[in-house]
Amino acid sequence: MQTTQLPTDAALSGNVLFYSKPEPLSVEAHGKLGVNALDNPYAFVGQTNMVPLTVTEFAPAALNYPVVFLGDARAPVAIMGLNQNTNLFVEANGAYRADAYLPAFVRRYPFVFATQEDQGRMVLCIDREAPMVSEGGETALFADGKPTPFTENAMKFCTDFEQERRRTESFVKLLQEHDLLTVREFNYTPRNADGSAGQPQKVAEFYGVSEEKLNALSADTFKTLRDNGALGQIYAHLMSLQNWDRLIVAAMDRAQRELPAANA
């Protein structure tokens, strides 16, 4: 896995992760649309092995995923699979693992805020090609020409998400100001048939907090990070790196489950 630049929500071009056809929401264009409740609605997450996180999600996400930083922006993400197009937490039928934390980036779908470049303002959009969106859907987006409570709640969720996204950018900037981020690797050592250690394999390269640099901070800086809550998020990130081993186990388990189907 190479360090890559993640897409952002900064355009209406359709290149936002998960969104095929985001359109500015309006009663004129979407007055007849509604959202249907699907039993297993997360198939759209199954084709990616990473999902962006906000900083306040580090602690719950760290229970399941490695939380790492990627790209020039050092964007924090939850790693959900070892291969680019494989998510080990989503089944083929769209079911998400019940014991796993579901990031806000996923929960806001099919809605998203995007920048309307000609006016420089944020507008609420909906993915017109989302599988849960249809004309006459069971939960209407508009009623009597006005947004329904469902749509208003979606707008509030996206507004809160945007605030958390900006807070996350400030957190990453703080890490960079103290030069805490460095290139890190996860290596896996398989076992040979006789039980001996095999040749180590490099599984991933990413940006992570350097524990050596963290421990070298001055007492005053360390206290500041503790008091503003950043230290707790840093430790959540560091603890989450133990989950690389869990991903290896999950990948092996899925391979074993899929083997009988491949041989059938």
Side-chain angles (χ1 to χ4, degrees):
M1 183 185 68
Q2 301 298 316
T3 54
T4 56
Q5 181 67 47
L6 292 177
T8 69
D9 295 347
L12 302 180
S13 59
N15 61 353
V16 185
L17 182 65
F18 304 147
Y19 296 79
S20 300
K21 192 179 178 183
E23 300 177 350
L25 188 65
S26 70
V27 65
E28 294 80 11
H30 309 110
K32 297 181 180 180
L33 294 186
V35 174
N36 299 304
L38 305 180
D39 290 337
N40 298 304
Y42 299 109
F44 67 92
V45 192
Q47 300 305 308
T48 181
N49 68 332
M50 62 184 75
V51 172
L53 289 174
T54 62
V55 65
T56 53
E57 297 181 281
F58 280 21
L63 297 175
N64 304 112
Y65 321 108
V67 176
V68 305
F69 301 85
L70 296 180
D72 294 338
R74 307 297 191 265
V77 299
I79 301 297
M80 300 181 175
L82 300 178
N83 300 316
Q84 187 173 358
N85 298 319
T86 301
N87 192 313
L88 296 170
F89 293 83
V90 182
E91 298 298 333
N93 66 353
Y96 204 92
R97 227 174 75 179
D99 63 338
Y101 174 73
L102 190 63
F105 193 96
V106 175
R107 284 182 275 130
R108 70 176 178 171
Y109 189 79
F111 298 95
V112 63
F113 265 135
T115 301
Q116 196 171 40
E117 295 180 357
D118 58 339
Q119 299 185 31
R121 65 186 181 91
M122 301 296 289
V123 295
L124 185 66
C125 298
I126 189 169
D127 187 355
R128 187 61 184 85
E129 295 187 357
M132 65 282 295
V133 175
S134 67
E135 285 201 16
E138 58 191 55
T139 302
L141 300 181
F142 295 93
D144 300 323
K146 298 180 181 179
T148 61
F150 176 83
T151 303
E152 291 178 348
N153 286 336
M155 180 174 291
K156 183 181 184 306
F157 188 93
C158 289
T159 298
D160 292 344
F161 182 89
E162 180 63 17
Q163 293 174 347
E164 291 300 324
R165 186 186 67 78
R166 293 176 180 175
R167 186 176 300 169
T168 302
E169 290 179 347
S170 297
F171 171 77
V172 172
K173 184 178 180 180
L174 182 65
L175 297 182
Q176 292 175 308
E177 287 175 351
H178 293 296
D179 193 29
L180 291 177
L181 292 175
T182 187
V183 175
R184 300 187 59 165
E185 295 181 357
F186 171 67
N187 296 290
Y188 168 65
T189 303
R191 291 289 175 181
N192 296 320
D194 61 1
S196 62
Q199 187 69 25
Q201 301 174 9
K202 178 177 164 182
V203 174
E205 182 178 287
F206 54 91
Y207 292 101
V209 170
S210 165
E211 295 179 67
E212 180 180 357
K213 291 182 177 181
L214 179 65
N215 293 331
L217 292 175
S218 68
D220 287 343
T221 300
F222 199 85
K223 182 178 184 299
T224 298
L225 293 178
R226 184 197 66 192
D227 292 346
N228 66 16
L231 192 59
Q233 310 296 359
I234 290 171
Y235 283 140
H237 150 67
L238 291 173
M239 291 295 294
S240 79
L241 300 183
Q242 302 298 317
N243 289 321
W244 282 113
D245 290 321
R246 294 185 179 183
L247 286 185
I248 292 287
V249 173
M252 291 179 174
D253 178 67
R254 177 167 290 191
Q256 287 293 324
R257 288 188 285 117
E258 291 177 349
L259 190 60
N263 294 332

